[in-house]
Amino acid sequence: MREARRPTPEIARSGAAREVLLGGGIGLGFILVSALLITAFGGYSFTWAGDGFVSVGWTAVVVQIGAAVTEELLFRGLALQALEQLWGSRAAIVITSLFFGVAHLGAPGASAWSGLAIALEAGVLLGAAFLWRRNIWFVVGLHFAWNTTEQLLGIPVSGHAPKGLFTVDIHGSTLLTGGSFGLEASIMPVLMGVGIAVLMLFRAHRSGGIKSRRSALR
């Protein structure tokens, strides 16, 4: 890309479908397991909404693919890599994660806790995913499946509550359920997201995907 003034293998079309599917599988599993755990502890109960499967599903796909592509190109495609060139991978992931959390503070039902939760479970996880695979399609797939699964389950997506296939009733503490902000403000995905991110960062380190400030400037 001319704008990047460098080769951009992270957006190469070759292998893109495989990366999207791999990331999507992780995103799907992450949300389903989180929702299952919250339900098992009595936080969620689901009922079929009765709306058209095709229309609801198509709307969710269109809305969430736009959000995933836009946010990942901005935060991981541009910001993380630009900061990485200046200060290395560790600083880049910390800074972009904090900004990702701040960017969600304007959402309905947002709080200081939800911003921190988003920074940890999403900012760190998605940043770690990029450093591991060095592929924007992988991160887009993860982000897209994450948001779409939440919406189809009827769980608010970062405070927004578009129509889903199910209606979710919320019971118990906000720390468990995330309250009106949704699953992303629950402690469950925060713990899971940080754990998965640590594994990804370990894999990234072993494969040479973690750059120091000195090596990034070369």
Side-chain angles (χ1 to χ4, degrees):
M1 286 177 64
R2 287 180 299 174
E3 293 81 359
R5 297 181 181 178
R6 62 172 178 80
T8 52
E10 68 273 14
I11 59 172
R13 294 180 182 178
S14 177
R18 180 186 67 250
E19 293 295 328
V20 167
L21 289 173
L22 178 58
I26 294 174
L28 174 65
F30 175 66
I31 295 303
L32 287 179
V33 171
S34 296
L36 180 62
L37 287 172
I38 295 170
T39 302
F41 282 98
Y44 289 163
S45 58
F46 296 90
T47 54
W48 181 254
D51 295 310
F53 179 87
V54 174
S55 62
V56 171
W58 176 248
T59 301
V61 167
V62 171
V63 170
Q64 300 305 340
I65 198 169
V69 170
T70 301
E71 291 185 9
E72 292 314 314
L73 285 176
L74 178 61
F75 282 93
R76 263 59 65 173
L78 294 175
L80 188 146
Q81 294 185 85
L83 291 167
E84 188 178 46
Q85 290 294 318
L86 294 173
W87 297 309
S89 302
R90 294 172 181 84
I93 199 171
V94 170
I95 295 170
T96 53
S97 296
L98 289 174
F99 273 105
F100 200 63
V102 169
H104 287 77
L105 288 177
S111 63
W113 162 247
S114 70
L116 177 61
I118 288 284
L120 291 172
E121 78 202 357
V124 175
L125 176 56
L126 293 167
F130 180 80
L131 295 178
W132 172 36
R133 303 297 296 183
R134 289 285 168 178
N135 190 290
I136 203 70
W137 303 116
F138 175 78
V139 190
V140 165
L142 197 165
H143 196 155
F144 168 73
W146 173 328
N147 284 2
T148 304
T149 304
E150 277 189 306
Q151 180 172 343
L152 292 178
L153 288 174
I155 301 170
V157 183
S158 301
H160 300 279
K163 186 178 294 185
L165 297 176
F166 297 88
T167 298
V168 61
D169 292 315
I170 300 173
H171 319 277
S173 72
T174 301
L175 186 63
L176 172 64
T177 66
S180 63
F181 188 80
L183 178 147
E184 291 152 333
S186 164
I187 191 65
M188 292 295 184
V190 172
L191 296 176
M192 285 184 57
V194 170
I196 297 169
V198 168
L199 292 175
M200 288 182 172
L201 289 171
F202 176 74
R203 297 290 296 272
H205 179 75
R206 291 192 62 181
S207 64
I210 304 295
K211 300 178 181 179
S212 65
R213 181 176 181 273
R214 182 175 300 176
S215 64
L217 290 172
R218 292 175 183 172

